[in-house]
Amino acid sequence: MKLGPRLPRRFFARPATAVAPELLGRILVRRLEDGTRLAVRLVEVEAYEPDDPASHAFRGATPRNRVMFGPPGHLYVYFTYGMHFCANVVTSAAGRGSAVLLRAAEPIQGLEVMARHRGLADVRRLCAGPARLTQALAIERSMDGADLVLGTQAFLTAGEPTPPARVIRTARVGIRVGVDRPWRFLELESPFASPGRPAAPKGSRRS
DNA sequence: CGTTGGATTGGCT
DNA sequence: GCCAATCCAACGC
């Protein structure tokens, strides 16, 4: 599995909707305090933009989302549902408030450690969801604001980008507003994607 | 200060 | 399919 060079700051300095599909196939490397190295290959992400009612940034900067309004290429980690952490990559210029949620990945290196973090052995389920991904990689509150471009705790490398022809676009998962924006991107037929079903547009009925 | 509900998950009916 | 778990940020008064 090819890691390649780190993604440079300029890669992240674009709108989340532009960065998101290009994150597929990239390698997220996590270095634990004891030196253990974990690596996963991103297969599912979602874009959140400044004028997007589903985004934490929609109502302006707060203590929780302040990292979203900082410079691009940093990790925005938030706590939710009283027990889960989710990780985003901050995009666009500082002050904008846009980011890409990391939703699922294919485990590449350190599977045993990830399995221990998850209390689960099934490789397909280790990182198949935003909170599962952070649990497998031991990403929590203290990683909020970590620099992915210059930092050592976590970083992103070029990997082998998923060709556009193999990128699927759907509505985002688990949101109640902004469901009309098809900003979830995932790799075609990936066995490592999350089971999450995209939000249905308002007024829709099952057939 | 009190209330509400969340970019989820896993277990149970 | 349904719902509890479990914290706390955001918002209204």
Side-chain angles (χ1 to χ4, degrees):
Chain A
M1 174 55 57
K2 173 176 138 194
L3 286 185
R6 285 201 198 204
L7 296 175
R9 188 81 62 198
R10 64 178 177 279
F11 175 87
F12 304 102
R14 299 175 288 151
T17 46
V19 175
E22 295 185 24
L23 276 174
L24 299 180
R26 311 298 191 165
I27 309 299
L28 173 61
V29 180
R30 168 84 169 105
R31 183 191 153 89
L32 304 179
E33 288 197 16
D34 68 358
T36 303
R37 204 152 101 143
L38 310 175
V40 301
R41 181 176 164 281
L42 299 177
V43 301
E44 178 184 340
V45 300
E46 285 177 356
Y48 288 84
E49 294 285 13
D51 69 337
D52 169 9
S55 173
H56 290 171
F58 186 59
R59 292 166 199 280
T62 67
R64 176 172 75 154
N65 67 17
R66 69 187 171 78
V67 172
M68 277 186 88
F69 290 86
H74 290 251
L75 207 58
Y76 164 48
V77 180
Y78 68 89
F79 182 70
T80 192
Y81 289 104
M83 62 186 80
H84 299 304
F85 293 99
C86 293
N88 299 249
V89 175
V90 175
T91 64
S92 298
R96 289 286 293 160
S98 76
V100 177
L101 172 69
L102 307 180
R103 284 197 58 90
E106 170 185 354
I108 297 297
Q109 185 180 49
L111 304 216
E112 239 176 53
V113 173
M114 287 190 250
R116 187 161 77 244
H117 289 164
R118 294 271 295 113
L120 185 78
D122 184 352
V123 180
R124 287 174 307 176
R125 291 188 181 138
L126 286 182
C127 303
R132 291 167 171 176
L133 176 62
T134 58
Q135 187 179 36
L137 296 178
I139 292 173
E140 34 70 288
R141 205 181 306 271
S142 66
M143 298 274 300
D144 187 34
D147 187 353
L148 297 167
V149 177
L150 301 176
T152 55
Q153 292 185 290
F155 53 93
L156 280 161
T157 72
E160 297 174 34
T162 303
R166 295 187 46 231
V167 175
I168 306 291
R169 171 195 280 249
T170 77
R172 293 169 293 181
V173 173
I175 52 171
R176 308 190 44 139
V177 292
V179 299
D180 54 315
R181 304 184 185 206
W183 290 349
R184 175 186 183 224
F185 302 87
L186 63 157
E187 201 172 83
L188 178 66
E189 293 174 357
S190 173
F192 302 99
S194 80
R197 200 173 118 265
K202 270 184 187 169
S204 69
R205 302 281 186 283
R206 68 185 168 88
S207 60

